[in-house]
Amino acid sequence: MNLQGNWIDLMILIIIVYFLFDGMTSNFWVVTANFFSFLASMLISLKTYKCVAVLLKNNFSMPFSISNAIGFLITASLAEIMISSLIMYLIRKFPSKLQRLPYQKILNVIPALGEALVLIAFILTLILALPTHPKIKAAISESKIGGYIVTKTGGVEKDLNEIFGGIVEEGINYLTIRPGSSERIPLNIEKRDLAVDKETEMAMFALVNEERSKAGSRQLTIFTGAVPVAENYAEDMWERQYFSHYSPEGDDVGDRLEKAGIDYHTVGENLALAPTLSIAHKGLMNSEGHRRNILDPQFKKVAIGIVDNGVYGKMFVQIFSD
C-alpha cells in the first residue's frame, strides 16, 4: 500500500490513531455519547450562534467580530454539555446487560473514528477559511485524506469564515502610506519566500473596476508595460526591508516609470501590506487618498504588482496613469 500523501495526511493519521486507541480503552456508550454530542453541538451552533452573538453585542458592547466567535463557542459548549448529559442519562436507563457489550473494543472503533473525522474536518475547514499560510492551505488541498474531507465540508467554510474571520482579520496588521508621502516604515522581516501573485493581481484589478463602476467612473485597462515596474518595486521593498513611496535612492513612482522607458502625463501610486486581498482592498477604499486614486476619472489604466511573502503577507503596489 502506498498512500503517496504529505505531512497533512501524517498528522491526520496520528489524530485518528490517538482517538482509536483512546476509544478502545473506554466504554462503548461513553465514546458514542462523545461522538454524537460533539457532532450535534457543532451543527446546532452553526445554526444558532447568531442569536447569542446579538445578545452579547447588545448587552456587552462587543463588536460583531468578537461576539460571533464567543457566541459560537458558548453555543457549542452548552449544546455539547446538554446533549452529552441527555445521552448519558438515557444510557444509564439501559438494562445492565447492555451496559457492557461483547466485542466492545471492536465496536468502539466506529464512534471513535467518527469523532476523529468530525474534529479533523472542523480544523481543516477552519484553516482554509482563515488567512493562514498559503503553503499550509495548498498542503491540505493536495493531501489525499484531508483533500477528500474538505471537499465534503465546502459549505461549512463560509460559515466558519463568518464566525472567526472578523476577529482574526482585526488582529492582523494592515500597513499603508498616504499617497505622495515621503514617510518610510522599516520592515523587520528577515525571512523572505517571495513569489509574484498573478492570480491576486487580476482579482484586485477586477475589484478596482467594480468600485469605479459603482462610482460612475470609466473602467480602467491594464497598464501592461508598468506591471513589471509595480512587481519589481513590491519585491524590492521586501528585499531591502522598507515600506515607502520612495526607494532608498529617493526615486518615486515617476522616476521608476521613466527608468523603465515608460511615458506618462499623470501618475498615482497606492501601496499596501496585508495578509489577504480583501483586507488590502478594504483598507485602501477606507482611506481617502487611496480611494481617490482608485476612483479618479482622469486615470485610464492601472498596473498592479503583488508579491507574496508567505506568513508575512502580501505587498500590493498599484500604479495609475492617464
Side-chain angles (χ1 to χ4, degrees):
M1 179 181 176
N2 187 1
L3 179 62
Q4 294 183 333
N6 58 15
W7 65 273
I8 294 291
D9 291 302
L10 177 61
M11 296 301 297
I12 290 173
L13 290 174
I14 291 173
I15 294 173
I16 290 175
V17 169
Y18 170 80
F19 271 84
L20 291 178
F21 179 79
D22 184 63
M24 291 175 68
T25 61
S26 304
N27 180 275
F28 171 77
W29 297 113
V30 173
V31 180
T32 302
N34 289 339
F35 165 58
F36 282 107
S37 60
F38 181 68
L39 175 60
S41 66
M42 291 294 103
L43 295 176
I44 290 172
S45 189
L46 285 172
K47 298 295 183 182
T48 62
Y49 79 92
K50 289 185 178 180
C51 297
V52 178
V54 170
L55 290 175
L56 291 172
K57 179 180 183 299
N58 293 339
N59 290 280
F60 299 98
S61 301
M62 290 184 182
F64 264 124
S65 58
I66 297 177
S67 62
N68 278 348
I70 295 178
F72 177 83
L73 296 175
I74 290 175
T75 308
S77 299
L78 291 176
E80 184 169 11
I81 291 171
M82 294 173 63
I83 295 170
S84 179
S85 299
L86 176 60
I87 294 176
M88 292 306 300
Y89 171 79
L90 295 174
I91 289 173
R92 285 192 290 269
K93 298 297 182 179
F94 288 178
S96 57
K97 63 180 180 180
L98 289 179
Q99 295 291 337
R100 297 194 64 84
L101 299 172
Y103 309 108
Q104 181 170 260
K105 289 188 177 181
I106 298 176
L107 292 174
N108 283 358
V109 168
I110 299 173
L113 179 61
E115 187 176 5
L117 291 176
V118 171
L119 179 62
I120 291 167
F122 178 82
I123 293 173
L124 294 182
T125 308
L126 182 61
I127 292 173
L128 291 178
L130 299 179
T132 48
H133 196 299
K135 288 186 177 180
I136 297 178
K137 292 187 177 186
I140 292 174
S141 300
E142 294 167 2
S143 68
K144 301 298 183 181
I145 304 172
Y148 177 79
I149 291 174
V150 295
T151 59
K152 302 299 180 182
T153 59
V156 181
E157 183 178 339
K158 181 180 178 182
D159 293 325
L160 294 180
N161 184 60
E162 182 179 348
I163 295 168
F164 296 102
I167 194 170
V168 172
E169 288 188 0
E170 287 182 3
I172 295 175
N173 289 331
Y174 166 76
L175 193 62
T176 191
I177 290 179
R178 179 173 53 83
S181 170
S182 60
E183 181 183 3
R184 178 185 300 274
I185 300 174
L187 301 178
N188 298 316
I189 298 172
E190 294 296 335
K191 186 177 179 181
R192 287 176 290 281
D193 183 16
L194 306 181
V196 174
D197 191 343
K198 289 290 186 181
E199 182 178 349
T200 304
E201 288 176 359
M202 295 308 299
M204 174 168 267
F205 175 70
L207 286 176
V208 167
N209 272 333
E210 184 179 320
E211 297 292 352
R212 290 176 69 88
S213 293
K214 294 176 185 177
S217 297
R218 74 172 74 185
Q219 297 285 283
L220 298 176
T221 59
I222 296 178
F223 193 0
T224 307
V227 170
V229 176
E231 293 172 344
N232 290 339
Y233 190 57
E235 184 173 351
D236 186 65
M237 285 189 284
W238 279 127
E239 290 287 357
R240 295 200 282 174
Q241 301 180 359
Y242 70 97
F243 186 73
S244 173
H245 287 287
Y246 289 83
S247 71
E249 294 74 29
D251 292 340
D252 64 7
V253 60
D255 298 320
R256 289 188 284 275
L257 290 177
E258 289 176 6
K259 288 183 177 181
I262 298 172
D263 295 327
Y264 68 90
H265 294 289
T266 306
V267 68
E269 182 180 65
N270 285 347
L271 302 179
L273 174 57
T276 65
L277 169 61
S278 62
I279 295 174
H281 180 69
K282 185 186 301 182
L284 292 173
M285 287 302 297
N286 288 337
S287 166
E288 182 179 350
H290 299 95
R291 184 175 63 252
R292 186 183 303 115
N293 277 342
I294 291 173
L295 302 181
D296 195 331
Q298 73 173 323
F299 290 138
K300 300 176 182 177
K301 50 191 177 182
V302 62
I304 298 176
I306 300 173
V307 175
D308 191 341
N309 194 14
V311 294
Y312 299 105
K314 301 174 189 283
M315 187 73 74
F316 297 79
V317 177
Q318 297 175 335
I319 301 176
F320 300 90
S321 184
D322 54 4

